Amino acid sequence: MADKKRYERPVINKHYSGLMNKFGSRPTTQPKTEIDGVTINELVEKYGSPLYVYSEKQIRINQRNALRIFKTRYPKVQFAWSYKTNYLSAICSVFHKEGSWAEVVSEFEYDKARKLGIKGENIIFNGPDKSRNALLKAIKEKAKIHIDHFDELYEIIELTEEHKLKAQVAIRVNMDVGVYPKWDRFGFNYENGEAGQALKRIMMNPNLQIVGLHAHIGTYMMTAEAYRIAASKLALLARFLKDEYDVAVSYIDLGGGFASHNTLIGQYLPAEEVVPSMEQFAEAISAGLYELNFKVDEMPTLILETGRALIDNTGHLISTVLANKRLSSGRRALIIDAGVNLLFTGFWYKHPVSPAQDSGVNIEDTTIYGPLCMNIDVIRETINFPSLRKGDKVVIDYVGAYDNTQWMQFINMRPNVVMVMEDGTVELIRKAENLDYILDREVLPEKLKLK
Ligand SMILES: *Cc1c(COP(=O)(O)O)cnc(C)c1O
């Protein structure tokens, strides 16, 4: 097999070989043959294709780096893992073992965090949809409830009265940070005084204990300055609470949203050249917080709910070439066994794709399609790629954020997910779905059954 020559039906095409661009000569494609020392072949043999692979080592490195970068600039820092970015139990648990709390946005995520052993007091409960039942549970378990709107505030007040309980609350604040469109559908607005109003109502109620202030200004944010503005506006609200009510909030939570190094479709330069570094985000946030001269013993803890920037580069998707094609235009196309069903973020990002074996130098502008019977199933619209054979493997990088929460079971079922552990072993962390898994949730009415 390996010594068989690559053959492709001849086509006449414009020749680009050796083309120079502003970054130098055209790139050669390096094969990616392993992940953390485990070969792609070994992984596929054992766990099949397509296959999601995570690196425990990289997750820990990312989290430790982020903590160090923030702690050198601001002394009190606590991370809370954003469940919706990736709530596979093994992933959450690595973050929890690194000391992160849980940041959840639904009752399901709340219950998952509790099941993983996180105490209520270490759960930050965000989001516009918290059922009465979920709120009551969160109040009882002393979770930090980040109130999104007045109806939620009233419901919490009712519940605390009804059950004679006290609730630990914060408010989510939305504000103008110079990035448009503004995310003003979540939380209370800063500029129009709504946030101040909400705080006053909380302070009037003996059952509510204000513990923090929260903002999550957007996702894949490409400016650090927006975070400085957000931090300084939350610090001003903290000062208001101190001056008016002599209350020092125990934390200021700047949410998530730092851009990862995945490159957006339509972005010309690679992400690592255009998005701010973690240091720049940290510098901006601490500058915003230091604008208010908190007394040392009253300095609020800085909470961060960073999601994508901590997980994106730790996930890889291995996929197998199903077919080579020439489109009617003469363009080369590749069909692989992972589509947008598994790579929802393919709609936004130009994920790096590498061949997993030596694939020669016959590089050509190629479109990579997934296996679905839908025209929109495109993994890469355009990529310089060597010619691969049916059965060859490719590795898609930067798939750790949102893909394993937004993937869908469409036409094909979801595949295995494994983690390469720090000690070099490989653990299965989510089993591939099968027909029984699907049928388990379905109910076929008796009268529709075929005899
Ligand atoms: C989604 C979300 C996060 C994480 O956002 P990333 O862009 O993944 O960093 C943090 N906080 C809240 C409230 C969120 O909704």
Side-chain angles (χ1 to χ4, degrees), residues 58 62 69 220-222 257-265 267 269-281 307-314 349-352 397-401:
Q58 193 62 50
N62 290 355
I69 288 166
Y220 201 91
M221 300 297 285
M222 293 176 62
F258 304 152
S260 71
H261 285 181
N262 223 336
T263 304
L264 291 168
I265 289 174
Q267 194 169 293
L269 292 168
E272 53 270 29
E273 293 178 31
V274 286
V275 307
S277 63
M278 192 66 84
E279 284 84 350
Q280 286 170 301
F281 285 121
R308 71 171 74 247
L310 293 180
I311 194 72
D312 221 6
N313 70 341
T314 73
Y349 292 133
K350 294 190 270 191
H351 291 282
D397 290 328
Y398 283 99
V399 302

Short mmCIF file of all heavy atoms in Angstrom, two decimals, residues 58 62 69 220-222 257-265 267 269-281 307-314 349-352 397-401:
data_model
loop_
_atom_site.label_atom_id
_atom_site.label_comp_id
_atom_site.label_asym_id
_atom_site.label_seq_id
_atom_site.Cartn_x
_atom_site.Cartn_y
_atom_site.Cartn_z
N GLN A 58 -2.33 19.72 27.35
CA GLN A 58 -2.53 21.07 26.82
C GLN A 58 -3.58 21.84 27.62
O GLN A 58 -3.45 23.04 27.83
CB GLN A 58 -2.91 21.01 25.34
CG GLN A 58 -2.83 22.34 24.62
CD GLN A 58 -1.42 22.92 24.61
OE1 GLN A 58 -0.47 22.23 24.24
NE2 GLN A 58 -1.27 24.17 25.04
N ASN A 62 -2.73 25.35 29.36
CA ASN A 62 -3.51 26.56 29.08
C ASN A 62 -4.03 27.19 30.36
O ASN A 62 -3.95 28.40 30.56
CB ASN A 62 -4.71 26.23 28.18
CG ASN A 62 -4.30 25.88 26.76
OD1 ASN A 62 -3.14 25.96 26.40
ND2 ASN A 62 -5.28 25.47 25.96
N ILE A 69 -0.70 34.37 34.30
CA ILE A 69 -0.71 35.67 33.62
C ILE A 69 -1.59 36.67 34.37
O ILE A 69 -1.24 37.83 34.56
CB ILE A 69 -1.18 35.49 32.16
CG1 ILE A 69 -0.08 34.80 31.35
CG2 ILE A 69 -1.55 36.83 31.53
CD1 ILE A 69 -0.54 34.28 29.99
N TYR A 220 -15.29 35.71 21.29
CA TYR A 220 -14.23 35.93 20.29
C TYR A 220 -13.96 37.43 20.16
O TYR A 220 -13.99 38.01 19.08
CB TYR A 220 -14.59 35.32 18.93
CG TYR A 220 -13.36 35.07 18.06
CD1 TYR A 220 -12.68 33.85 18.09
CD2 TYR A 220 -12.85 36.06 17.23
CE1 TYR A 220 -11.54 33.63 17.32
CE2 TYR A 220 -11.71 35.86 16.46
CZ TYR A 220 -11.07 34.64 16.50
OH TYR A 220 -9.94 34.43 15.74
N MET A 221 -13.74 38.09 21.32
CA MET A 221 -13.50 39.53 21.34
C MET A 221 -12.09 39.81 20.84
O MET A 221 -11.12 39.19 21.27
CB MET A 221 -13.65 40.07 22.75
CG MET A 221 -15.03 39.85 23.35
SD MET A 221 -16.33 40.70 22.46
CE MET A 221 -16.04 42.38 23.01
N MET A 222 -11.99 40.75 19.90
CA MET A 222 -10.69 41.02 19.29
C MET A 222 -10.06 42.32 19.78
O MET A 222 -9.09 42.80 19.23
CB MET A 222 -10.82 40.99 17.77
CG MET A 222 -11.15 39.56 17.33
SD MET A 222 -11.46 39.38 15.60
CE MET A 222 -9.90 39.88 14.90
N GLY A 257 -15.01 35.15 26.67
CA GLY A 257 -15.02 35.86 25.39
C GLY A 257 -13.68 36.15 24.76
O GLY A 257 -13.63 36.66 23.64
N PHE A 258 -12.56 35.83 25.47
CA PHE A 258 -11.27 36.08 24.83
C PHE A 258 -11.19 35.25 23.55
O PHE A 258 -11.53 34.07 23.55
CB PHE A 258 -10.10 35.68 25.74
CG PHE A 258 -10.11 36.34 27.09
CD1 PHE A 258 -9.53 35.70 28.18
CD2 PHE A 258 -10.68 37.59 27.27
CE1 PHE A 258 -9.54 36.30 29.44
CE2 PHE A 258 -10.69 38.20 28.52
CZ PHE A 258 -10.12 37.54 29.60
N ALA A 259 -10.70 35.86 22.49
CA ALA A 259 -10.58 35.14 21.21
C ALA A 259 -9.55 34.04 21.35
O ALA A 259 -8.54 34.18 22.04
CB ALA A 259 -10.17 36.12 20.11
N SER A 260 -9.82 32.91 20.70
CA SER A 260 -8.82 31.85 20.62
C SER A 260 -8.00 32.11 19.36
O SER A 260 -8.23 33.09 18.65
CB SER A 260 -9.50 30.49 20.53
OG SER A 260 -10.11 30.34 19.26
N HIS A 261 -7.06 31.22 19.09
CA HIS A 261 -6.23 31.42 17.90
C HIS A 261 -6.78 30.70 16.67
O HIS A 261 -6.03 30.38 15.75
CB HIS A 261 -4.78 31.05 18.19
CG HIS A 261 -4.08 32.10 19.02
ND1 HIS A 261 -2.78 32.03 19.41
CD2 HIS A 261 -4.56 33.27 19.52
CE1 HIS A 261 -2.47 33.10 20.12
NE2 HIS A 261 -3.54 33.86 20.20
N ASN A 262 -8.05 30.44 16.65
CA ASN A 262 -8.72 29.93 15.46
C ASN A 262 -8.98 31.13 14.56
O ASN A 262 -9.39 32.18 15.02
CB ASN A 262 -10.04 29.30 15.87
CG ASN A 262 -10.28 27.99 15.16
OD1 ASN A 262 -9.72 27.73 14.09
ND2 ASN A 262 -11.12 27.16 15.72
N THR A 263 -8.76 30.96 13.26
CA THR A 263 -8.90 32.10 12.35
C THR A 263 -10.31 32.13 11.76
O THR A 263 -10.81 31.12 11.27
CB THR A 263 -7.85 32.00 11.23
OG1 THR A 263 -6.56 31.92 11.83
CG2 THR A 263 -7.91 33.23 10.33
N LEU A 264 -10.93 33.30 11.82
CA LEU A 264 -12.29 33.44 11.29
C LEU A 264 -12.28 33.39 9.77
O LEU A 264 -11.32 33.83 9.13
CB LEU A 264 -12.89 34.78 11.73
CG LEU A 264 -13.22 34.94 13.21
CD1 LEU A 264 -13.53 36.40 13.52
CD2 LEU A 264 -14.41 34.06 13.59
N ILE A 265 -13.36 32.86 9.20
CA ILE A 265 -13.52 32.92 7.75
C ILE A 265 -13.58 34.40 7.38
O ILE A 265 -14.25 35.19 8.05
CB ILE A 265 -14.82 32.18 7.33
CG1 ILE A 265 -14.62 30.67 7.51
CG2 ILE A 265 -15.20 32.50 5.89
CD1 ILE A 265 -15.87 29.84 7.28
N GLN A 267 -11.14 36.41 7.61
CA GLN A 267 -10.01 37.09 8.26
C GLN A 267 -8.78 36.75 7.43
O GLN A 267 -8.51 35.58 7.18
CB GLN A 267 -9.90 36.51 9.68
CG GLN A 267 -9.05 37.27 10.64
CD GLN A 267 -9.27 36.71 12.07
OE1 GLN A 267 -10.34 36.84 12.65
NE2 GLN A 267 -8.28 36.05 12.60
N LEU A 269 -5.30 37.66 7.86
CA LEU A 269 -4.12 37.22 8.60
C LEU A 269 -4.49 36.12 9.58
O LEU A 269 -5.62 36.07 10.06
CB LEU A 269 -3.52 38.40 9.37
CG LEU A 269 -2.91 39.50 8.51
CD1 LEU A 269 -2.62 40.73 9.35
CD2 LEU A 269 -1.63 38.99 7.85
N PRO A 270 -3.55 35.23 9.88
CA PRO A 270 -3.84 34.20 10.87
C PRO A 270 -4.15 34.81 12.24
O PRO A 270 -3.63 35.87 12.59
CB PRO A 270 -2.56 33.36 10.93
CG PRO A 270 -1.54 34.07 10.14
CD PRO A 270 -2.20 35.13 9.31
N ALA A 271 -5.02 34.13 12.99
CA ALA A 271 -5.52 34.70 14.25
C ALA A 271 -4.42 35.12 15.20
O ALA A 271 -4.51 36.17 15.84
CB ALA A 271 -6.45 33.69 14.93
N GLU A 272 -3.35 34.31 15.29
CA GLU A 272 -2.34 34.65 16.31
C GLU A 272 -1.67 35.99 16.02
O GLU A 272 -1.06 36.58 16.89
CB GLU A 272 -1.31 33.53 16.52
CG GLU A 272 -0.60 33.02 15.30
CD GLU A 272 -1.32 31.86 14.63
OE1 GLU A 272 -2.57 31.79 14.73
OE2 GLU A 272 -0.65 31.04 13.98
N GLU A 273 -1.84 36.50 14.79
CA GLU A 273 -1.27 37.81 14.49
C GLU A 273 -2.25 38.96 14.73
O GLU A 273 -1.85 40.11 14.75
CB GLU A 273 -0.80 37.85 13.02
CG GLU A 273 0.37 36.93 12.79
CD GLU A 273 0.82 36.91 11.32
OE1 GLU A 273 0.67 37.94 10.65
OE2 GLU A 273 1.30 35.85 10.89
N VAL A 274 -3.53 38.65 14.87
CA VAL A 274 -4.48 39.76 15.02
C VAL A 274 -5.23 39.79 16.35
O VAL A 274 -5.69 40.85 16.76
CB VAL A 274 -5.53 39.79 13.87
CG1 VAL A 274 -4.90 40.31 12.60
CG2 VAL A 274 -6.17 38.44 13.66
N VAL A 275 -5.36 38.64 17.02
CA VAL A 275 -6.13 38.71 18.27
C VAL A 275 -5.18 39.04 19.43
O VAL A 275 -4.00 38.69 19.40
CB VAL A 275 -6.93 37.41 18.55
CG1 VAL A 275 -7.79 37.04 17.38
CG2 VAL A 275 -6.01 36.27 18.95
N PRO A 276 -5.70 39.75 20.44
CA PRO A 276 -4.85 40.10 21.57
C PRO A 276 -4.38 38.83 22.30
O PRO A 276 -5.05 37.81 22.27
CB PRO A 276 -5.77 40.91 22.48
CG PRO A 276 -6.92 41.33 21.63
CD PRO A 276 -7.07 40.27 20.59
N SER A 277 -3.24 38.93 22.94
CA SER A 277 -2.73 37.80 23.72
C SER A 277 -3.43 37.78 25.07
O SER A 277 -4.04 38.78 25.49
CB SER A 277 -1.22 37.95 23.92
OG SER A 277 -0.98 39.13 24.67
N MET A 278 -3.30 36.67 25.78
CA MET A 278 -3.86 36.57 27.14
C MET A 278 -3.26 37.68 28.02
O MET A 278 -3.95 38.25 28.86
CB MET A 278 -3.55 35.18 27.70
CG MET A 278 -4.28 34.83 28.96
SD MET A 278 -6.07 34.66 28.78
CE MET A 278 -6.25 32.99 28.20
N GLU A 279 -1.97 37.98 27.81
CA GLU A 279 -1.33 39.04 28.59
C GLU A 279 -2.02 40.38 28.37
O GLU A 279 -2.22 41.16 29.30
CB GLU A 279 0.16 39.18 28.20
CG GLU A 279 1.07 38.11 28.74
CD GLU A 279 1.10 36.84 27.88
OE1 GLU A 279 0.26 36.71 26.95
OE2 GLU A 279 1.97 35.98 28.15
N GLN A 280 -2.38 40.64 27.12
CA GLN A 280 -3.03 41.93 26.83
C GLN A 280 -4.43 42.00 27.47
O GLN A 280 -4.81 43.04 27.99
CB GLN A 280 -3.12 42.14 25.32
CG GLN A 280 -1.77 42.49 24.70
CD GLN A 280 -1.81 42.45 23.17
OE1 GLN A 280 -2.11 41.42 22.57
NE2 GLN A 280 -1.51 43.56 22.55
N PHE A 281 -5.16 40.88 27.42
CA PHE A 281 -6.47 40.87 28.08
C PHE A 281 -6.29 41.10 29.59
O PHE A 281 -7.02 41.87 30.21
CB PHE A 281 -7.19 39.54 27.83
CG PHE A 281 -7.76 39.40 26.44
CD1 PHE A 281 -7.37 38.35 25.62
CD2 PHE A 281 -8.71 40.29 25.96
CE1 PHE A 281 -7.91 38.20 24.33
CE2 PHE A 281 -9.25 40.16 24.68
CZ PHE A 281 -8.85 39.10 23.86
N GLY A 307 -13.74 30.51 28.27
CA GLY A 307 -14.08 29.23 27.65
C GLY A 307 -13.15 28.93 26.49
O GLY A 307 -12.12 28.28 26.64
N ARG A 308 -13.52 29.45 25.32
CA ARG A 308 -12.82 29.03 24.09
C ARG A 308 -11.31 29.20 24.13
O ARG A 308 -10.59 28.35 23.61
CB ARG A 308 -13.41 29.72 22.87
CG ARG A 308 -13.11 31.19 22.75
CD ARG A 308 -13.54 31.76 21.40
NE ARG A 308 -14.97 31.92 21.25
CZ ARG A 308 -15.75 31.24 20.40
NH1 ARG A 308 -15.22 30.36 19.61
NH2 ARG A 308 -17.03 31.47 20.34
N ALA A 309 -10.82 30.28 24.74
CA ALA A 309 -9.38 30.53 24.71
C ALA A 309 -8.61 29.48 25.50
O ALA A 309 -7.41 29.32 25.32
CB ALA A 309 -9.07 31.93 25.23
N LEU A 310 -9.29 28.75 26.40
CA LEU A 310 -8.60 27.72 27.18
C LEU A 310 -8.72 26.33 26.58
O LEU A 310 -7.99 25.42 26.97
CB LEU A 310 -9.16 27.69 28.62
CG LEU A 310 -8.88 28.91 29.48
CD1 LEU A 310 -9.50 28.73 30.86
CD2 LEU A 310 -7.37 29.16 29.60
N ILE A 311 -9.65 26.13 25.67
CA ILE A 311 -9.92 24.76 25.24
C ILE A 311 -9.77 24.53 23.73
O ILE A 311 -9.56 23.40 23.29
CB ILE A 311 -11.35 24.33 25.71
CG1 ILE A 311 -11.58 22.82 25.62
CG2 ILE A 311 -12.44 25.04 24.94
CD1 ILE A 311 -10.86 22.01 26.62
N ASP A 312 -9.86 25.60 22.95
CA ASP A 312 -9.93 25.41 21.50
C ASP A 312 -8.75 24.59 20.95
O ASP A 312 -8.94 23.63 20.20
CB ASP A 312 -9.99 26.77 20.79
CG ASP A 312 -10.97 26.77 19.64
OD1 ASP A 312 -11.67 25.75 19.47
OD2 ASP A 312 -11.05 27.77 18.91
N ASN A 313 -7.54 24.94 21.36
CA ASN A 313 -6.37 24.27 20.77
C ASN A 313 -6.07 22.90 21.40
O ASN A 313 -5.10 22.25 21.03
CB ASN A 313 -5.13 25.17 20.87
CG ASN A 313 -4.63 25.32 22.29
OD1 ASN A 313 -5.36 25.06 23.25
ND2 ASN A 313 -3.39 25.74 22.44
N THR A 314 -6.90 22.47 22.35
CA THR A 314 -6.65 21.17 22.98
C THR A 314 -7.41 20.05 22.29
O THR A 314 -7.23 18.88 22.63
CB THR A 314 -7.06 21.18 24.47
OG1 THR A 314 -8.49 21.16 24.55
CG2 THR A 314 -6.53 22.39 25.20
N TYR A 349 -15.04 29.29 11.22
CA TYR A 349 -13.58 29.27 11.27
C TYR A 349 -12.95 28.56 10.08
O TYR A 349 -13.52 27.62 9.53
CB TYR A 349 -13.10 28.51 12.52
CG TYR A 349 -13.39 29.19 13.82
CD1 TYR A 349 -13.94 28.47 14.88
CD2 TYR A 349 -13.09 30.53 14.01
CE1 TYR A 349 -14.19 29.08 16.09
CE2 TYR A 349 -13.35 31.14 15.22
CZ TYR A 349 -13.89 30.41 16.26
OH TYR A 349 -14.13 31.01 17.46
N LYS A 350 -11.74 29.01 9.75
CA LYS A 350 -10.90 28.27 8.82
C LYS A 350 -10.02 27.35 9.66
O LYS A 350 -8.89 27.68 9.99
CB LYS A 350 -9.99 29.25 8.05
CG LYS A 350 -10.73 30.20 7.13
CD LYS A 350 -9.75 30.95 6.25
CE LYS A 350 -9.29 32.24 6.90
NZ LYS A 350 -8.55 33.12 6.00
N HIS A 351 -10.57 26.21 10.03
CA HIS A 351 -9.79 25.31 10.87
C HIS A 351 -8.55 24.83 10.14
O HIS A 351 -8.63 24.47 8.96
CB HIS A 351 -10.63 24.08 11.23
CG HIS A 351 -11.77 24.38 12.15
ND1 HIS A 351 -11.59 24.56 13.49
CD2 HIS A 351 -13.07 24.54 11.92
CE1 HIS A 351 -12.77 24.82 14.06
NE2 HIS A 351 -13.68 24.81 13.13
N PRO A 352 -7.42 24.76 10.83
CA PRO A 352 -6.25 24.15 10.20
C PRO A 352 -6.54 22.67 9.94
O PRO A 352 -7.07 21.98 10.81
CB PRO A 352 -5.15 24.29 11.27
CG PRO A 352 -5.68 25.24 12.28
CD PRO A 352 -7.16 25.21 12.20
N ASP A 397 -7.62 20.82 13.44
CA ASP A 397 -7.23 21.37 14.74
C ASP A 397 -8.18 22.49 15.20
O ASP A 397 -9.01 22.96 14.43
CB ASP A 397 -5.81 21.92 14.67
CG ASP A 397 -4.78 20.79 14.54
OD1 ASP A 397 -5.03 19.70 15.08
OD2 ASP A 397 -3.75 21.01 13.90
N TYR A 398 -7.99 22.88 16.46
CA TYR A 398 -8.81 23.94 17.06
C TYR A 398 -10.29 23.58 17.04
O TYR A 398 -11.12 24.34 16.56
CB TYR A 398 -8.59 25.28 16.32
CG TYR A 398 -7.29 25.95 16.71
CD1 TYR A 398 -6.16 25.84 15.92
CD2 TYR A 398 -7.21 26.67 17.89
CE1 TYR A 398 -4.97 26.44 16.29
CE2 TYR A 398 -6.03 27.28 18.27
CZ TYR A 398 -4.91 27.16 17.46
OH TYR A 398 -3.74 27.75 17.84
N VAL A 399 -10.60 22.43 17.56
CA VAL A 399 -12.01 21.99 17.57
C VAL A 399 -12.51 21.79 19.01
O VAL A 399 -13.55 21.19 19.22
CB VAL A 399 -12.20 20.70 16.76
CG1 VAL A 399 -11.75 20.91 15.32
CG2 VAL A 399 -11.45 19.52 17.37
N GLY A 400 -11.76 22.32 20.00
CA GLY A 400 -12.12 22.04 21.39
C GLY A 400 -13.28 22.86 21.92
O GLY A 400 -13.92 22.49 22.89
N ALA A 401 -13.54 24.02 21.31
CA ALA A 401 -14.57 24.92 21.85
C ALA A 401 -15.86 24.78 21.07
O ALA A 401 -15.87 24.93 19.84
CB ALA A 401 -14.07 26.37 21.79
#
